[in-house]
Amino acid sequence: MKIFSGSSNKPLADKIAKALKIRLSKLEIHIFPDGEKRVRVIDKVVGEDCIVVQSTSANADINYIELFFIVDALKRSGASLVIAVIPYLGYQRQDHVFREGEAVSLEVVIKTLEAAGADKVITFDLHSIKIPEFFKIPLIHLSALSLFAEKVKKIDGDDAFLVSPDMGGIRRIKVLSEMLNNMSYVTLEKDRDLKSGKIEISKVYGRVGKVAFVVDDMISTGSTIVKAAELLKKKGAKHVFVFATHPVFSGNSPKILQESEVEKVFVTDTIDVPKEKQFKKLEVLSVAEVIAELLKNSKS
Ligand code: R5P
């Protein structure tokens, strides 16, 4: 087995390689003055199972293209199997036509990945349970919920409860609740204006306790979390902790989160958080062991 890293999340690729007790294999990624990339596999891969780690987070277009080129280069160089580890699958929120005339961007990138030669994909906490249906190749859908459950158990205070910030997150919350001895949960009602992107969180369904654990798949602008925390505090919660798998962290979301009512924000390293986006309330949990365990135990 050989493991390669794209440019988007080398720290995670390093950790996975370490857990697998193998070194990262060599790739040459050259960027021409006009931004085009030339990818070349340096290590010999004939007959090998190859893993490529690439989060297709911002800049999603650049990271997807690089991934397609790496997969193609590996296949042309004789790899027998190429597994794309895409911890964060970019464009997953564009999984259907929301308004007439829109592209289904996620379907386009998946088709291109398959055409480039990927044989299998491993990813984490997808936005919707319908996404796996887009894949013709096997997709392994992992979750960070067990990592979150361990943390919640350590913080657990009196009158703790889970929170889904929108109706779409209920399935996730139910799974986590089961892991936590059927911890009670509430759901918030969130509306998003598709044109402006602005959100409103107005209602809570369920009993608000004292220690809230808000769980979401990703944090982008941070508005969902900030508004959820404000409402929960207004309704009587004393402490609000946040768990989100993917730290998309667009714009000035780190600052907004640091200054919010939230006590602590737990995310994972499915997306690399550069130094300038880290903040005091942030703690990053690693999914490297989860991926390495799966790769150790999976036979092509
Ligand atoms: C939306 O349905 C997702 O589950 C997240 O709640 C959302 O993408 C977070 O976005 P933002 O941080 O911009 O509110």
Side-chain angles (χ1 to χ4, degrees):
M1 180 186 285
K2 296 225 159 139
I3 177 162
F4 295 83
S5 179
S7 312
S8 67
N9 201 343
K10 183 120 182 313
L12 176 62
D14 275 328
K15 281 188 192 153
I16 299 171
K18 209 167 166 201
L20 288 170
K21 298 192 172 67
I22 53 179
R23 64 166 181 82
L24 272 187
S25 286
K26 284 196 187 111
L27 274 181
E28 185 185 278
I29 300 177
H30 176 76
I31 307 175
F32 290 99
D34 62 357
E36 289 188 358
K37 276 184 184 169
R38 181 180 61 204
V39 168
R40 188 170 154 241
V41 176
I42 306 289
D43 286 10
K44 293 277 167 278
V45 294
V46 178
E48 295 269 4
D49 288 0
C50 294
I51 295 139
V52 190
V53 181
Q54 177 81 320
S55 291
T56 46
S57 48
N59 187 319
D61 301 349
I62 290 178
N63 290 331
Y64 263 118
I65 287 286
E66 188 182 279
L67 174 63
F68 302 151
F69 293 170
I70 297 172
V71 171
D72 181 72
L74 287 169
K75 273 297 173 79
R76 284 175 197 280
S77 305
S80 60
L81 184 92
V82 176
I83 302 175
V85 175
I86 314 177
Y88 173 73
L89 188 74
Y91 283 115
Q92 60 180 287
R93 284 169 291 177
Q94 290 182 50
D95 61 347
H96 64 272
V97 174
F98 290 87
R99 290 172 304 167
E100 201 186 317
E102 289 179 351
V104 182
S105 317
L106 180 65
E107 190 172 12
V108 178
V109 290
I110 291 172
K111 277 184 187 162
T112 314
L113 178 66
E114 290 173 343
D119 296 294
K120 201 189 263 188
V121 171
I122 296 174
T123 193
F124 272 83
D125 290 326
L126 291 167
H127 182 62
S128 129
I129 48 166
K130 289 202 154 243
I131 292 174
E133 291 170 18
F134 284 115
F135 287 85
K136 293 204 171 60
I137 55 174
L139 170 77
I140 300 176
H141 184 191
L142 299 173
S143 175
L145 288 181
S146 53
L147 296 177
F148 294 165
E150 288 314 306
K151 275 284 164 188
V152 169
K153 280 180 202 158
K154 284 185 189 146
I155 304 168
D156 196 3
D158 270 353
D159 204 6
F161 65 109
L162 301 170
V163 181
S164 172
D166 53 39
M167 298 295 174
I170 298 178
R171 185 189 46 85
R172 199 173 298 124
I173 289 293
K174 282 185 178 164
V175 174
L176 188 57
S177 164
E178 268 177 33
M179 290 176 179
L180 293 165
N181 230 349
N182 294 321
M183 185 181 274
S184 69
Y185 57 86
V186 305
T187 310
L188 309 184
E189 191 171 298
K190 174 170 108 175
D191 291 304
R192 189 185 286 274
D193 184 289
L194 285 178
K195 230 174 170 184
S196 65
K198 281 208 171 130
I199 62 149
E200 278 308 320
I201 297 188
S202 46
K203 278 190 199 142
V204 185
Y205 295 98
R207 194 190 72 84
V208 172
K210 294 284 173 271
V211 184
F213 296 109
V214 182
V215 184
D216 212 347
D217 54 344
M218 66 183 84
I219 301 176
S220 179
T221 62
S223 13
T224 300
I225 293 306
V226 170
K227 293 207 169 155
E230 280 169 6
L231 184 63
L232 291 164
K233 282 270 175 117
K234 221 188 269 171
K235 297 282 181 188
K238 296 282 173 253
H239 308 276
V240 180
F241 295 90
V242 170
F243 291 85
T245 307
H246 309 295
V248 176
F249 289 168
S250 317
N252 62 344
S253 56
K255 185 167 182 284
I256 293 172
L257 291 164
Q258 178 61 32
E259 290 168 0
S260 72
E261 306 264 16
V262 170
E263 226 149 282
K264 195 139 195 186
V265 179
F266 296 92
V267 295
T268 78
D269 54 0
T270 56
I271 296 175
D272 182 41
V273 184
K275 266 224 164 74
E276 63 277 14
K277 287 202 172 180
Q278 293 172 11
F279 52 99
K280 268 199 178 149
K281 291 180 179 175
L282 180 72
E283 185 172 328
V284 182
L285 313 173
S286 185
V287 294
E289 287 288 343
V290 180
I291 298 171
E293 274 314 301
L294 176 84
L295 292 170
K296 269 186 223 163
N297 300 323
S298 75
K299 281 271 143 265
S300 52

